[in-house]
Every structure is written in structure tokens, then in C-alpha cells.
Amino acid sequence: MTEREPMAETPAAEHEDRVAPAEPTAVFETVPAEQAHQPDPTEVNYAEYFHPARPRTLRHRARARSTVRRRSVAQDGPASGDNPVYVSWLLAQSMLSHADELARQFSGQGSMWQNPFASPGPRHAVETASVWFTAYPISLITPAGTSFLGTLGDTDLWQAFETIGIEAVHTGPVKKAGGISGWQPTPSVDGHFDRISNELDPAFGTEDEFRAMCGTATWHGGTIIDDIVPGHTGKGADFRLAELGYGDYPGIYHMVEIEPADWSLLPEVPPGQDSANLDAATEEQLEKAGYIVGRLQRVIFFREGVKETNWSATAEVTGVDGVARRWVYLHYFKDGQPSVNWLDPTFAGMRMVIGDALHSLADLGTGALRLDANGFLGVEKSAAGTPGWSEGHPLSEAANHLIASMVRKVGGFTFQELNLTVDDIRAASEAGADLSYDFVNRPAYHHALATADTEFLRLTLRTAHEVGVDPASLVHALQNHDELTYELVHWTAGHADAVFAFRGEEITGGELADTIRRDLCEKLTGPDAPYNLIFTTNGIACTTATVIAASLGISALDDIGPGDVARIRQVHLLLVMFNAFQPGVFALSGWDLLGMLTLPPERVFDLLSGGDTRWVSRPAHDLMGHRPDAEASSSGMPRGRSLYGPLPEQLADETSFVRQMQAILAVRKHCGVSTAEQIDVPDVAHRGLLVMVHRLDDGRIEVTVLNFADEHVDAAVRSEHLEPGATVRDLFSGEDVGTVDDLQGFRLEMTPFRATALVLEPPVSAADDEAPAPA
């Protein structure tokens, strides 16, 4: 295996390399380097302008000199702070302890100064990997005797990914998660996002398997994307050491020691539990007593009697100094996920998180990291009677800048999966993560499908453009492990009172958000689509296939026959086109690749009992068909129904979902739309149509046209960016399908749920026609 060659010495040559045909049989012409579109240096960041010839990021680069030594400590005696053996046992598992040891391997090394890091580089990230597969460990059915990581490192799977056009795999969280109670581990309370160690969870595989997976990915031109969680941990060794008052550990968390004289204010901790949630009255009392910030802007996962506030009180804990303490700690999410404090004088939380990132990138060999729960890193007391400032806080921006800069400094990139206002996404993109999840257009394209009306989708696309959010900085995705988020915070929080034109009326942002949520719930859930479930106030638990089924009027999943499968597949490809044929990253999951349906609620009844309906949309699935008789994954997730079948079967069928998506991705790569510039989302003559206009790197204009309606449409495509006389060429067939008229438009016949991509070839002038042929 050889390393990637350095990029060409000039931006022009770089463009020439990027627009070269992906396949020898491609029917498109390349643009000579001297004619390629030249970027304006004033529009690019430091890395793009001053480092045009730097090598591409090397994907598999385990650069730590050795794996940090894991200390083995026997379990002996009581699990208490006065037992040195117990304290040493906790320290052996501590993320902060591991981070401090690992950091010393990087300090004073010249390798820490080889990469620009100040500014995000979204297009560099997209060029590294523009099509991602997002995995969910507990839902993947693996071959007998093979771990999750061993399965994701399988050569046959990566050959299938390479054939399809998938260039990166996001593993999802695979490190140990959950908590520790005494000497015993406790299970994860949030799908392994409550991390308690930098060690991998043996349930998913070993570090050697992780490194082998990174090597296999590199061999097939791909990269591995891991997770870090800057916002919280589980109740593992670090939290237990914090409760014991050991060293810097209380500084990791937003936790406050309550004086014994005030213990009467605290709730009793029920038997068998280690904390109790504060009610609103107690929260207010502790705020007035000067202990905590108090009420915050919202209570995520609110549930009466379970989580009424974002604060919980511990039971009485005797520390390493013999002092008995009770603490109150912040948890934006569940009580088993104590929040990390990014502005404690010890900076222990920051050290712990950065150590986790270095371990993943430089020890395991990943190329990128997802920042989870990274919008809740600052909390500040507000004026009396008003909620504490906990969202959109400048400390979150500063902390994200630090994390993302450190990752860029060691050669990787980051993306954030956080539902923000469009204004906040723009602000975060100035110095934070390189890429952001596209939560702006995600509910909008589902709304377009559910209502056969693209008006709201056109509004969201235009809003991003007006605010200054580059689509190339976004991860445009189908399904992942979460619900279909319809929180619409740009309209409910940032612009609730602003006025928007919608459906012929002037309405406020808050009213607009209510309308969209109501439309989505009415069309995609309820008696006509009982297989999709509402998830708290955030969205709908569903798969892409069941969103489509509900939009097509299918009320019972068991009634889906071959004809229905064909219609669902056609609409699924329409949604692929929308996400893939705009600048940025296109991401999809195994649930999309196989066309998975939601699980019947009774099959995950125990998991649903906690109120988290997302478990119906996380069915187990077998990508390669290794275990057709398996009824569940090794983690116990029940197997769901696949409409499309495993990848080998689909790759053998030219009409399959995967084969048709492969063609879409090949054309996408060939024309370079992933790094293009979106310049227009024009008005349309039919409510079901959407038109997106892009300027490619070579200067040509690309037009994506999609029909979200279940009817034939004679589409009139018009935009001020279309040059009269230009030839309209179909990027898929290579055929000329029209000419731009004097009104800067052309017509196109669009069958139901059709999507296509076109490129405009500039008109040939009369002078060019009459020019003599070269001798």
C-alpha cells in the first residue's frame, strides 16, 4: 500500500485532478487546467491559500509511540474512598488519567506544527470523503464469531462500499459506556453516548480490530470517522472519583458540594439508585442559596417524576479525605450523563476530552471525529427570574474552536451533529467544526415529500444561502440512529417573531414551525401510519422507507408487496438525489442501503418503556447477508424487515436500489458537485418541483431538478444564471435535451418522483463557428 501522492503545485492543477473522469467510459469532457475556474484568494481560508500544495490528509496514521499502558488492579475490599485499592482501580479506568499520559507523547513534538488549524476547511473535508456510511453498532448483524469492528473491517464489505462509491464509515460510539456502581459496571443509558473510558467496549471488538479496520479503509481509498462526546460522560470512574473529591476530578463536571446544613433541601435518594432529580422548587431554592445556576432554557428528556429539571443530587458519599459529601450536578440529558465543565480552573474536562480525541486520531488511526452534544458546553447565571444561559453560549463556540483546532492540528477533521439556528450554524462554521449536520433541510425535504409541495424546502435552502451557510459545509443525510428531527429551532427560537411568507400568507416563524410540525405528524404518524412514532417534542421515530410508505398512503407495513417496493425504491432514489446533488457530504445508513422498515413496538416493548420511541427505528440488519436466519444482532436488537435485500444481492441486480444509487454517486463524483457553489434556488411553476443551480469548479452551471409529486409535470426551469443559447446536457445519459431560451429557461418533462441533473454547455459564438481550423 502506498501513501497518497501530494496535491499538485497549483490550484488549477488541483481542479484538473478533481474533475477528471471517474470512469474511463465517461461521456463528459474535462476542462483544460488553464481554463479551470480559479478561486479568488480573498474567498479562501488560510489553509487553502497558503498551503495549496500540502498533501491530502493521510487516513490511517496511528502515531502514538505505544498504546497507553493499562494497569490491572485487583478488586479487594469495600468500594469506598477510604480504600486505596478501590481508588487505584478507578484511576486505572479513568479517562482523565489516560488523557494526561497520552498528551505527554505529543508535547514538544514537531509533528504538532505541520498542519494549519485555525480555520475550518469544509471543502478539504469533503474532498477527503464526500459519501459516508453511518453505522450503529448495536443494530448491525455480524457474521458468527465476528465482532462489530471486525465486520466493518471486512475486505468484502469495503469492496462493496468502494463499488457503490462510499468513501468513509462513521462507526458510531464504540468505547466503553454506561457507569460504575461500586465494583460493578452498569449498562449504557443512551446508546453508548455516555462514555466512561477511552478503551473500546469488548462487545464491539478490540483496538487491534479497530486499527485493522482503519487500514482496510485506507486500502480501499476510505477513512474511518469516530466519535467524541465533549458535553458529558457516563457515571464511570471519572465521575466516581469526582464524588470522592479526588484531585482535579470534581473540576471535570458542573457539580457543586452542598453544605451539610443545607442537605435538608435535597431530595432523598431512592433505594438502589445513586441520585435523585431535583424538582423545580428545589432547583429554585438552591439557586437562591447561591449553589447552582438554576433553571435552564429547556429540559431535554423531560418526564414528570423522572426528570423535571437538569439537576440531580447524589447520595451521601465519603471521600478520600474522610469527609462525607452530597453533590448537585448538571445533566443536560439523562441523570446518568453528567455534563462536562469547560471553564473550571483545573481545565480537567478539557484535558479529558482532548485526550479522547488524540487517542482516536493518533493511536487508533481515524481520520475524523464527530462532536456529539457539543452545543451545551457553557452555562451561565442570568438575571433573576430568567433561565440560565445554556444554549448559544460563547463558551460553547470557544470550546468547539479548541477541539476542532486540535483535531486539525493532528491532521483530521470534525463534524457536529447539532440542531441549531441557521445563524448559529454560520457562527459555528467560522471557527469550530469543519462540517455541520444538515438539520435545516432535513425536515424540509421530508415535508416536501409528505405534502408534494416544496415551498418550505425552498424557504430553508434560501434561508441558508441568505444567512451565509455554505451547503458544502453540511452533511446532507438520510436516516441515522436518531429520530427525524423537526425541532426547527431557527423558527421556534431564533426567529419566532419574524415574519415569513408561506402559502400566500404572512406568518411568524413560530407559527410556521407549528404548521410544519403539524403537517409532518398528520402525514407521517397516527392511524394512517401507526408504524411511525412521535419522539417527545423533537421529531418522529421512523426509517426513510417508512417516511416514504406513509407519504404514499400505505397504512400497514405487512401489506407492502413487490409493486409497493418498486415505488418506495423510486422515491428513495429521489431523496438520494436531493441530498447527494448539492455541495457537501452525502450520508446514509444501513437502514437506507437495505430499505429497512420500523420494528413493531411490541418487539422492543422493554426499551420503549422509558419513553424513548427511537428504538422502533433502529432495527437490526445484515449488510452482507452473512446470517439470514439471525433474529437479532449480538446486542439483542430484533431484526427488521428489509425491502431491498443484502448488498451482494443488490450488486448483482442492475435495477436494485444500490446499483441505481451507484450510478448517481458516480455522476456526482465526475461532475464535482460535492465541492461546487450553490447559487440559486429559483421559483417553480409547479408546487412539487425543486430546482437547485450550482456553479461547478470548472465554471460550468449544473442544474438539479426534482419532482416531489406523484404526477407528470411539464417543468419550466428558469434562473438568471442560465445563459441563453447554452446547450442543456443530461449528466446521466450524456444526451442534449434542450437549449436555454432568451428568457433564461428551458423545459423538461418530469415523470412522478423523477430526479435528474443537467449541465449547461456554453453557446458557441458565430466567431467561433467561422474560425479556421488549426493547421
PDB file of all heavy atoms in Angstrom, residues 661-678:
ATOM      1  N   MET A 661     -28.218   3.822  -7.080  1.00  0.00           N
ATOM      2  CA  MET A 661     -27.525   4.841  -6.301  1.00  0.00           C
ATOM      3  C   MET A 661     -26.055   4.926  -6.711  1.00  0.00           C
ATOM      4  O   MET A 661     -25.469   6.014  -6.736  1.00  0.00           O
ATOM      5  CB  MET A 661     -27.631   4.536  -4.809  1.00  0.00           C
ATOM      6  CG  MET A 661     -27.043   5.648  -3.935  1.00  0.00           C
ATOM      7  SD  MET A 661     -27.247   5.344  -2.177  1.00  0.00           S
ATOM      8  CE  MET A 661     -26.098   3.984  -1.955  1.00  0.00           C
ATOM      9  N   GLN A 662     -25.459   3.796  -7.028  1.00  0.00           N
ATOM     10  CA  GLN A 662     -24.081   3.793  -7.512  1.00  0.00           C
ATOM     11  C   GLN A 662     -23.929   4.686  -8.734  1.00  0.00           C
ATOM     12  O   GLN A 662     -22.960   5.463  -8.841  1.00  0.00           O
ATOM     13  CB  GLN A 662     -23.653   2.359  -7.856  1.00  0.00           C
ATOM     14  CG  GLN A 662     -22.265   2.256  -8.475  1.00  0.00           C
ATOM     15  CD  GLN A 662     -22.006   0.889  -9.089  1.00  0.00           C
ATOM     16  OE1 GLN A 662     -22.888   0.031  -9.116  1.00  0.00           O
ATOM     17  NE2 GLN A 662     -20.805   0.688  -9.588  1.00  0.00           N
ATOM     18  N   ALA A 663     -24.879   4.617  -9.655  1.00  0.00           N
ATOM     19  CA  ALA A 663     -24.822   5.461 -10.851  1.00  0.00           C
ATOM     20  C   ALA A 663     -24.948   6.935 -10.484  1.00  0.00           C
ATOM     21  O   ALA A 663     -24.241   7.791 -11.038  1.00  0.00           O
ATOM     22  CB  ALA A 663     -25.929   5.060 -11.823  1.00  0.00           C
ATOM     23  N   ILE A 664     -25.825   7.235  -9.523  1.00  0.00           N
ATOM     24  CA  ILE A 664     -25.984   8.622  -9.072  1.00  0.00           C
ATOM     25  C   ILE A 664     -24.679   9.140  -8.489  1.00  0.00           C
ATOM     26  O   ILE A 664     -24.222  10.251  -8.807  1.00  0.00           O
ATOM     27  CB  ILE A 664     -27.118   8.714  -8.035  1.00  0.00           C
ATOM     28  CG1 ILE A 664     -28.467   8.450  -8.704  1.00  0.00           C
ATOM     29  CG2 ILE A 664     -27.120  10.079  -7.342  1.00  0.00           C
ATOM     30  CD1 ILE A 664     -29.621   8.321  -7.722  1.00  0.00           C
ATOM     31  N   LEU A 665     -24.047   8.335  -7.641  1.00  0.00           N
ATOM     32  CA  LEU A 665     -22.821   8.779  -6.983  1.00  0.00           C
ATOM     33  C   LEU A 665     -21.658   8.902  -7.965  1.00  0.00           C
ATOM     34  O   LEU A 665     -20.786   9.764  -7.803  1.00  0.00           O
ATOM     35  CB  LEU A 665     -22.463   7.827  -5.840  1.00  0.00           C
ATOM     36  CG  LEU A 665     -23.490   7.748  -4.702  1.00  0.00           C
ATOM     37  CD1 LEU A 665     -23.025   6.785  -3.624  1.00  0.00           C
ATOM     38  CD2 LEU A 665     -23.752   9.124  -4.109  1.00  0.00           C
ATOM     39  N   ALA A 666     -21.632   8.049  -8.988  1.00  0.00           N
ATOM     40  CA  ALA A 666     -20.575   8.141  -9.996  1.00  0.00           C
ATOM     41  C   ALA A 666     -20.682   9.450 -10.777  1.00  0.00           C
ATOM     42  O   ALA A 666     -19.676  10.138 -11.026  1.00  0.00           O
ATOM     43  CB  ALA A 666     -20.636   6.947 -10.939  1.00  0.00           C
ATOM     44  N   VAL A 667     -21.905   9.811 -11.160  1.00  0.00           N
ATOM     45  CA  VAL A 667     -22.103  11.074 -11.879  1.00  0.00           C
ATOM     46  C   VAL A 667     -21.791  12.249 -10.956  1.00  0.00           C
ATOM     47  O   VAL A 667     -21.168  13.235 -11.361  1.00  0.00           O
ATOM     48  CB  VAL A 667     -23.538  11.157 -12.430  1.00  0.00           C
ATOM     49  CG1 VAL A 667     -23.815  12.532 -13.019  1.00  0.00           C
ATOM     50  CG2 VAL A 667     -23.760  10.078 -13.490  1.00  0.00           C
ATOM     51  N   ARG A 668     -22.214  12.141  -9.720  1.00  0.00           N
ATOM     52  CA  ARG A 668     -21.915  13.188  -8.730  1.00  0.00           C
ATOM     53  C   ARG A 668     -20.418  13.419  -8.614  1.00  0.00           C
ATOM     54  O   ARG A 668     -19.936  14.567  -8.607  1.00  0.00           O
ATOM     55  CB  ARG A 668     -22.491  12.763  -7.373  1.00  0.00           C
ATOM     56  CG  ARG A 668     -22.132  13.656  -6.198  1.00  0.00           C
ATOM     57  CD  ARG A 668     -22.706  13.024  -4.929  1.00  0.00           C
ATOM     58  NE  ARG A 668     -22.588  13.897  -3.768  1.00  0.00           N
ATOM     59  CZ  ARG A 668     -21.597  13.841  -2.880  1.00  0.00           C
ATOM     60  NH1 ARG A 668     -20.617  12.958  -3.054  1.00  0.00           N
ATOM     61  NH2 ARG A 668     -21.577  14.648  -1.843  1.00  0.00           N
ATOM     62  N   LYS A 669     -19.666  12.338  -8.505  1.00  0.00           N
ATOM     63  CA  LYS A 669     -18.218  12.465  -8.361  1.00  0.00           C
ATOM     64  C   LYS A 669     -17.588  13.030  -9.621  1.00  0.00           C
ATOM     65  O   LYS A 669     -16.682  13.866  -9.573  1.00  0.00           O
ATOM     66  CB  LYS A 669     -17.611  11.099  -8.026  1.00  0.00           C
ATOM     67  CG  LYS A 669     -16.112  11.154  -7.770  1.00  0.00           C
ATOM     68  CD  LYS A 669     -15.597   9.804  -7.298  1.00  0.00           C
ATOM     69  CE  LYS A 669     -14.119   9.876  -6.958  1.00  0.00           C
ATOM     70  NZ  LYS A 669     -13.619   8.566  -6.450  1.00  0.00           N
ATOM     71  N   HIS A 670     -18.079  12.583 -10.769  1.00  0.00           N
ATOM     72  CA  HIS A 670     -17.499  13.013 -12.043  1.00  0.00           C
ATOM     73  C   HIS A 670     -17.672  14.513 -12.279  1.00  0.00           C
ATOM     74  O   HIS A 670     -16.741  15.201 -12.694  1.00  0.00           O
ATOM     75  CB  HIS A 670     -18.142  12.241 -13.195  1.00  0.00           C
ATOM     76  CG  HIS A 670     -17.718  12.746 -14.544  1.00  0.00           C
ATOM     77  ND1 HIS A 670     -16.450  12.570 -15.023  1.00  0.00           N
ATOM     78  CD2 HIS A 670     -18.390  13.450 -15.490  1.00  0.00           C
ATOM     79  CE1 HIS A 670     -16.363  13.141 -16.225  1.00  0.00           C
ATOM     80  NE2 HIS A 670     -17.525  13.677 -16.526  1.00  0.00           N
ATOM     81  N   CYS A 671     -18.843  15.038 -11.958  1.00  0.00           N
ATOM     82  CA  CYS A 671     -19.075  16.459 -12.232  1.00  0.00           C
ATOM     83  C   CYS A 671     -18.585  17.357 -11.106  1.00  0.00           C
ATOM     84  O   CYS A 671     -18.457  18.573 -11.284  1.00  0.00           O
ATOM     85  CB  CYS A 671     -20.543  16.729 -12.528  1.00  0.00           C
ATOM     86  SG  CYS A 671     -21.640  16.631 -11.088  1.00  0.00           S
ATOM     87  N   GLY A 672     -18.280  16.777  -9.923  1.00  0.00           N
ATOM     88  CA  GLY A 672     -17.724  17.566  -8.839  1.00  0.00           C
ATOM     89  C   GLY A 672     -18.720  18.425  -8.097  1.00  0.00           C
ATOM     90  O   GLY A 672     -18.346  19.460  -7.534  1.00  0.00           O
ATOM     91  N   VAL A 673     -19.983  18.010  -8.046  1.00  0.00           N
ATOM     92  CA  VAL A 673     -20.985  18.841  -7.390  1.00  0.00           C
ATOM     93  C   VAL A 673     -20.755  18.940  -5.882  1.00  0.00           C
ATOM     94  O   VAL A 673     -21.177  19.905  -5.246  1.00  0.00           O
ATOM     95  CB  VAL A 673     -22.411  18.315  -7.692  1.00  0.00           C
ATOM     96  CG1 VAL A 673     -22.715  17.053  -6.911  1.00  0.00           C
ATOM     97  CG2 VAL A 673     -23.456  19.388  -7.415  1.00  0.00           C
ATOM     98  N   SER A 674     -20.046  17.977  -5.292  1.00  0.00           N
ATOM     99  CA  SER A 674     -19.849  17.999  -3.839  1.00  0.00           C
ATOM    100  C   SER A 674     -19.037  19.194  -3.376  1.00  0.00           C
ATOM    101  O   SER A 674     -19.148  19.621  -2.223  1.00  0.00           O
ATOM    102  CB  SER A 674     -19.185  16.698  -3.376  1.00  0.00           C
ATOM    103  OG  SER A 674     -17.902  16.568  -3.943  1.00  0.00           O
ATOM    104  N   THR A 675     -18.205  19.750  -4.244  1.00  0.00           N
ATOM    105  CA  THR A 675     -17.416  20.931  -3.871  1.00  0.00           C
ATOM    106  C   THR A 675     -17.836  22.160  -4.670  1.00  0.00           C
ATOM    107  O   THR A 675     -17.097  23.143  -4.739  1.00  0.00           O
ATOM    108  CB  THR A 675     -15.916  20.674  -4.079  1.00  0.00           C
ATOM    109  OG1 THR A 675     -15.689  20.259  -5.431  1.00  0.00           O
ATOM    110  CG2 THR A 675     -15.415  19.597  -3.134  1.00  0.00           C
ATOM    111  N   ALA A 676     -18.999  22.105  -5.289  1.00  0.00           N
ATOM    112  CA  ALA A 676     -19.483  23.226  -6.098  1.00  0.00           C
ATOM    113  C   ALA A 676     -20.041  24.340  -5.199  1.00  0.00           C
ATOM    114  O   ALA A 676     -20.008  24.261  -3.967  1.00  0.00           O
ATOM    115  CB  ALA A 676     -20.557  22.739  -7.066  1.00  0.00           C
ATOM    116  N   GLU A 677     -20.559  25.378  -5.834  1.00  0.00           N
ATOM    117  CA  GLU A 677     -21.179  26.503  -5.132  1.00  0.00           C
ATOM    118  C   GLU A 677     -22.651  26.574  -5.508  1.00  0.00           C
ATOM    119  O   GLU A 677     -22.987  26.629  -6.687  1.00  0.00           O
ATOM    120  CB  GLU A 677     -20.486  27.809  -5.521  1.00  0.00           C
ATOM    121  CG  GLU A 677     -21.106  29.048  -4.896  1.00  0.00           C
ATOM    122  CD  GLU A 677     -20.552  30.339  -5.467  1.00  0.00           C
ATOM    123  OE1 GLU A 677     -19.731  30.276  -6.407  1.00  0.00           O
ATOM    124  OE2 GLU A 677     -20.951  31.425  -4.988  1.00  0.00           O
ATOM    125  N   GLN A 678     -23.524  26.546  -4.507  1.00  0.00           N
ATOM    126  CA  GLN A 678     -24.959  26.685  -4.780  1.00  0.00           C
ATOM    127  C   GLN A 678     -25.278  28.167  -4.971  1.00  0.00           C
ATOM    128  O   GLN A 678     -25.046  28.981  -4.077  1.00  0.00           O
ATOM    129  CB  GLN A 678     -25.788  26.108  -3.642  1.00  0.00           C
ATOM    130  CG  GLN A 678     -27.275  25.997  -3.954  1.00  0.00           C
ATOM    131  CD  GLN A 678     -28.020  25.155  -2.927  1.00  0.00           C
ATOM    132  OE1 GLN A 678     -28.576  25.697  -1.978  1.00  0.00           O
ATOM    133  NE2 GLN A 678     -28.023  23.839  -3.117  1.00  0.00           N
TER     134      GLN A 678
END
